[in-house]
Amino acid sequence: MKKISLLLLAALCHIALLAQSALPSQVVLTPYVVNDASTPGADKVLLDKLNRIVTKYGVSSDSGLGSPFIITGHAIELNRETTATVPPHMAVDLTLTLYIGNGEEGILFSTCSMNLRGVGNNLDKAYAAAFKRLDVNDPELSAAIEEGRSRIARYYAEAGPGLIRKAEAFAAVGNYADAYGVLLRIPPVCPQYEQAQDMVLSLVYKEAESYNGDILAEARAAWSASPDEAGAAEAARILAGMQNVSAKMRAAADALMKEMSGRMQKVDDAERAARKKREENAHAERMAAINDATKVAVARAQNRPAYHIHWW
């Protein structure tokens, strides 16, 4: 069982600010490129362009959370020729089509196409030169982004209840990581956003209750194994690790401390220190709890399922 921490508190605060902003920050697109072994350099250029696009149009994510919605591109080569220059170079004419849709479900929302030409001393560099000419200010691209964003908003309006049920199903079998992964990707534009945030807190505190129960059991074991000053000090140290403590669990921890202090007066200092540590930063507990779930979702996003796209 992992410990709840404040390591990503700054990122969480940023997410909270995004939740209060206008629509462009509420929908996220993940840049995605199907890599081609023959054009690795060009693929990097295209991915960089897609990252610039999502940043420009306010559909990028700074939280590290993955999104089922992607923007990707596919090029069709129209012509290839060798230039008459010295040394000769390769020139390619391409039609690059950008696709916006739900990559996990294979649902296409919008597209736009543009003709590009690139010249380089090999095929990879020629493709890279062509991709560099992709204009992020292209009006057709802007229209495609807006159409995709609108359809994503409609998607969440329709899919929100199902996403909540999906998260509930994960949580019911103790799969909290996947439950967080579903809930934390529900944006403010979704009618179920507040419900999802409340559910995140509920699940985190449920996990915390289990974690703190393990801590309490470990402390009791330490005290039972060594009912003396050393054992009491060790138990107090263990109890100090409890986090997001409920009233019920706090009472149980205090009862154990009282039991130990009744027999070992010298642990008073340890008791006070442990009690102080459990009670300090109470105002930050809600943020820490959501933040812990964010950390889980970030870890999950790094191993997200493969996208299932068949758009070309």
Side-chain angles (χ1 to χ4, degrees):
M1 181 71 67
K2 60 194 175 304
K3 291 186 177 181
I4 296 173
S5 71
L6 293 174
L7 293 178
L8 299 180
L9 182 57
L12 179 65
C13 291
H14 181 69
I15 292 173
L17 289 175
L18 290 182
Q20 300 172 8
S21 62
L23 178 61
S25 296
Q26 298 177 348
V27 169
V28 171
L29 295 178
T30 297
Y32 176 68
V33 171
V34 179
N35 293 314
D36 187 329
S38 65
T39 56
D43 290 343
K44 291 180 180 179
V45 172
L46 179 57
L47 183 60
D48 177 68
K49 282 288 186 175
L50 296 180
N51 276 296
R52 294 186 186 186
I53 288 170
V54 298
T55 298
K56 173 179 173 55
Y57 291 96
V59 288
S60 63
S61 172
D62 294 329
S63 69
L65 298 178
S67 169
F69 305 106
I70 64 173
I71 178 170
T72 187
H74 178 67
I76 296 177
E77 187 175 312
L78 302 177
N79 183 54
R80 181 191 304 187
E81 61 185 11
T82 301
T83 66
T85 59
V86 179
H89 285 72
M90 181 173 293
V92 293
D93 293 296
L94 311 173
T95 292
L96 175 65
T97 302
L98 299 183
Y99 301 83
I100 296 171
N102 187 324
E104 293 182 358
E105 298 181 14
I107 303 172
L108 181 62
F109 291 153
S110 64
T111 67
C112 71
S113 297
M114 54 199 74
N115 293 325
L116 304 172
R117 180 176 174 83
V119 179
N121 55 20
N122 57 42
L123 181 65
D124 188 21
K125 293 187 182 300
Y127 267 71
F131 291 154
K132 287 179 181 178
R133 298 175 67 86
L134 194 166
D135 182 7
V136 299
N137 297 305
D138 188 290
E140 290 188 15
L141 172 59
S142 177
I145 292 286
E146 290 305 317
E147 181 182 356
R149 184 154 48 197
S150 176
R151 293 192 61 182
I152 289 172
R154 291 200 300 272
Y155 169 91
Y156 274 116
E158 298 172 358
L163 294 174
I164 293 295
R165 289 193 296 272
K166 184 177 181 180
E168 289 173 339
F170 282 134
V173 295
N175 190 348
Y176 295 108
D178 280 336
Y180 296 144
V182 172
L183 295 169
L184 288 168
R185 293 196 310 187
I186 295 177
V189 71
C190 180
Q192 284 71 35
Y193 173 74
E194 291 297 336
Q195 182 182 356
Q197 295 297 295
D198 289 342
M199 190 173 173
V200 166
L201 283 180
S202 175
L203 293 180
V204 168
Y205 282 121
K206 185 176 181 180
E207 274 201 290
E209 195 77 352
S210 175
Y211 171 75
N212 289 330
D214 292 342
I215 289 286
L216 181 61
E218 184 181 354
R220 286 191 179 280
W223 171 241
S224 297
S226 181
D228 52 22
E229 182 178 343
E234 174 63 10
R237 183 194 66 78
I238 294 171
L239 288 175
M242 298 177 78
Q243 300 180 42
N244 296 314
V245 188
S246 66
K248 177 182 177 181
M249 199 60 65
R250 191 185 305 278
D254 289 346
L256 178 57
M257 292 299 297
K258 183 176 181 180
E259 175 189 332
M260 293 188 301
S261 64
R263 293 181 58 184
M264 303 299 300
Q265 190 63 35
K266 291 183 179 180
V267 302
D268 281 350
D269 290 343
E271 177 183 1
R272 284 193 294 271
R275 188 189 302 274
K276 180 180 179 181
K277 188 171 183 64
R278 292 197 305 273
E279 293 178 352
E280 68 185 3
N281 297 326
H283 177 70
E285 282 191 346
R286 174 182 171 90
M287 295 295 286
I290 297 179
N291 189 62
D292 183 59
T294 303
K295 182 172 60 178
V296 173
V298 168
R300 177 181 181 274
Q302 293 173 348
N303 298 283
R304 63 174 179 263
Y307 293 126
H308 308 287
I309 55 176
H310 44 79
W311 302 333
W312 56 79

